[in-house]
Amino acid sequence: MATIAVIGTLDSKGEEHAYLAECIRKCGHEALLMDVGSGGAPTVEPDISRYQVAEATGVDLESLMQKRDRGECVAAMAAAAPVLLSQLVSSGRVQGVISAGGGGGTAISTAAMRALPLGFPKVMVSTMAGGNTAPYVGTSDVVMFPSIVDVAGLNSVSLGVFSRAAGAICGMVEAPPPEHQGRPLVVATMFGNTTACVTEAKRVLEEAGFEVLVFSACGTGGRTMESLVASGMVAGVLDLTTTEWADELVGGVLSAGPHRLEAAGIAGLPTVVAPGCLDMVNFGEPETVPDRFEGRKFYYHNPQVTLLRTSVEESRQLGGILAEKINAYRGPVSILMPERGFSAIGEPGGVFEDQEADAALMEALESDCGKEVLRFPLAINDPAFARACAEKLLSLLRGD
């Protein structure tokens, strides 16, 4: 029997959370009601009061509520709930978490859920689940469950939604954990235009006894990988597709933000870096490309993806950015550069071939970087380059 935390604003949505708790108990598990409301009195009795939640960060909730600033109250609870819930999880008191809410409740509860480890069961029933869920899910594995109707009482629709959501969280806590293969983890980044390289490097690492987790370098993928690296679960990093920095610099749609290429350095992990797909910036349909890029070289990857070739000056700046990030690495790191192209479409004869731009990036990186930089007279997807990357990471992992 597991204990599942049921988090909610029990002043406005007490009835709904009480029903979730009832469904959980019918499935044979315990429910722990946690109040994160800050309006009127809770309509059902919580097991953990809003004041206990606020105390986790030293907030005087009573004084805060007297100001009648809902936004400030929500922000305070969104900061406190992760602290208390993490304590409950680390102490073994709860084995899963579920919540239901609108905008405010979703913001508070998903903040708490994002603080929990990957794999920990977490379900959010929300009015926000049908739109952009990125601010609520982040790089976590929160399961967003559409509420269909507003979380505003029990009715013929909401009863079914809540009962199925409760069944989902119960099923998650009942599922046996996967058998751990016991192999150390390596994380890698990949894009369609570096697939051949990463696939071959992955094969070499797996033959050497590592498990390789591949992340798509599409913004969310890079952020998720950085989060996993920061969690302490990873032994090494094969960051061969650093393209997200091109989008961050130039203004594309697949940026991973300004902290990309930082987690491995902070963690001191053995790392191999390559300029995979730094010859391209991602946009959507052709009509979405900003007018300022008129006259530049484009490749229409598919109806929804338009690629912009990075210029000489942009490439030079990217080399400098990579150098700055990698200079801060605390652990062993090596940069491998394929002189004959950074992507499948950037190699000789490809639509994005631009030797001057590639040279500008490599020269800037070499001149600014104080770490090991190795050049290869190969394209990035050449099997020999892929094997060189994998073997260099194995060497760093061994401490050679």
Side-chain angles (χ1 to χ4, degrees), residues 78-234:
V83 176
L84 184 55
L85 185 61
S86 294
Q87 292 171 353
L88 293 172
V89 171
S90 61
S91 67
R93 191 174 172 188
V94 299
Q95 290 74 48
V97 57
I98 189 171
S99 179
T106 300
I108 296 168
S109 298
T110 56
M113 294 176 188
R114 290 195 302 273
L116 303 180
L118 289 174
F120 188 88
K122 18 182 140 51
V123 170
M124 182 73 225
V125 182
S126 175
T127 59
M128 314 303 290
N132 177 18
T133 62
Y136 305 109
V137 176
T139 58
S140 75
D141 57 349
V142 174
V143 175
M144 295 286 284
F145 209 108
S147 63
I148 308 300
V149 295
D150 198 358
V151 182
L154 301 178
N155 53 61
S156 58
V157 173
S158 64
L159 286 169
V161 171
F162 294 145
S163 63
R164 287 189 290 273
I169 192 65
C170 290
M172 292 166 73
V173 300
E174 291 167 7
E179 292 184 11
H180 184 56
Q181 296 177 324
R183 294 183 293 165
L185 288 178
V186 167
V187 293
T189 49
M190 187 171 79
F191 224 33
N193 278 290
T194 57
T195 296
C197 175
V198 177
T199 300
E200 175 63 10
K202 178 175 181 284
R203 181 192 65 79
V204 174
L205 290 166
E206 288 176 340
E207 287 183 355
F210 290 86
E211 181 180 1
V212 182
L213 306 181
V214 178
F215 293 83
S216 173
C218 60
T220 301
R223 291 193 299 272
T224 303
M225 187 197 74
E226 299 268 331
S227 177
L228 187 64
V229 167
S231 74
M233 297 173 61
V234 175

Side-chain angles (χ1 to χ4, degrees), residues 20-355:
L20 284 171
E22 178 186 341
C23 292
I24 288 167
R25 296 185 188 104
K26 286 181 178 178
C27 289
H29 299 290
E30 292 292 333
L32 185 75
L33 273 168
M34 181 189 300
D35 183 21
V36 293
S38 54
T43 59
V44 296
E45 186 67 27
D47 298 298
I48 297 176
S49 74
R50 61 185 64 177
Y51 301 103
Q52 289 172 288
V53 175
E55 285 170 6
T57 52
V59 171
D60 182 353
L61 186 61
E62 190 64 46
S63 297
L64 196 61
M65 290 191 298
Q66 289 175 3
K67 294 169 64 176
R68 298 185 182 279
D69 187 328
R70 184 173 183 272
E72 191 174 351
C73 289
V74 168
M77 297 306 276
V83 176
L84 184 55
L85 185 61
S86 294
Q87 292 171 353
L88 293 172
V89 171
S90 61
S91 67
R93 191 174 172 188
V94 299
Q95 290 74 48
V97 57
I98 189 171
S99 179
T106 300
I108 296 168
S109 298
T110 56
M113 294 176 188
R114 290 195 302 273
L116 303 180
L118 289 174
F120 188 88
K122 18 182 140 51
V123 170
M124 182 73 225
V125 182
S126 175
T127 59
M128 314 303 290
N132 177 18
T133 62
Y136 305 109
V137 176
T139 58
S140 75
D141 57 349
V142 174
V143 175
M144 295 286 284
F145 209 108
S147 63
I148 308 300
V149 295
D150 198 358
V151 182
L154 301 178
N155 53 61
S156 58
V157 173
S158 64
L159 286 169
V161 171
F162 294 145
S163 63
R164 287 189 290 273
I169 192 65
C170 290
M172 292 166 73
V173 300
E174 291 167 7
E179 292 184 11
H180 184 56
Q181 296 177 324
R183 294 183 293 165
L185 288 178
V186 167
V187 293
T189 49
M190 187 171 79
F191 224 33
N193 278 290
T194 57
T195 296
C197 175
V198 177
T199 300
E200 175 63 10
K202 178 175 181 284
R203 181 192 65 79
V204 174
L205 290 166
E206 288 176 340
E207 287 183 355
F210 290 86
E211 181 180 1
V212 182
L213 306 181
V214 178
F215 293 83
S216 173
C218 60
T220 301
R223 291 193 299 272
T224 303
M225 187 197 74
E226 299 268 331
S227 177
L228 187 64
V229 167
S231 74
M233 297 173 61
V234 175
V237 180
L238 191 69
D239 205 348
L240 303 186
T241 312
T242 47
T243 184
E244 289 153 320
W245 258 110
D247 284 60
E248 173 68 13
L249 173 68
V250 182
V253 297
L254 297 185
S255 167
H259 300 296
R260 179 73 171 86
L261 283 170
E262 291 182 1
I266 294 170
L269 295 179
T271 302
V272 167
V273 179
C277 292
L278 280 176
D279 53 3
M280 60 184 68
V281 180
N282 293 267
F283 294 99
E285 296 85 351
E287 59 271 18
T288 68
V289 178
D291 293 340
R292 67 180 183 275
F293 297 114
E294 185 177 356
R296 295 281 295 272
K297 183 183 290 185
F298 292 99
Y299 177 68
Y300 302 103
H301 183 70
N302 63 46
Q304 288 76 43
V305 176
T306 304
L307 304 178
L308 167 72
R309 201 342 170 156
T310 45
S311 68
V312 172
E313 179 55 34
E314 289 161 354
S315 297
R316 185 176 292 112
Q317 291 180 57
L318 287 168
I321 290 168
L322 261 64
E324 179 184 0
K325 294 293 181 180
I326 293 166
N327 281 337
Y329 276 43
R330 301 173 182 173
V333 58
S334 183
I335 303 93
L336 276 63
M337 296 195 294
E339 295 178 315
R340 292 177 61 80
F342 303 158
S343 70
I345 60 174
E347 59 190 41
V351 294
F352 271 7
E353 179 186 7
D354 187 334
Q355 296 179 16

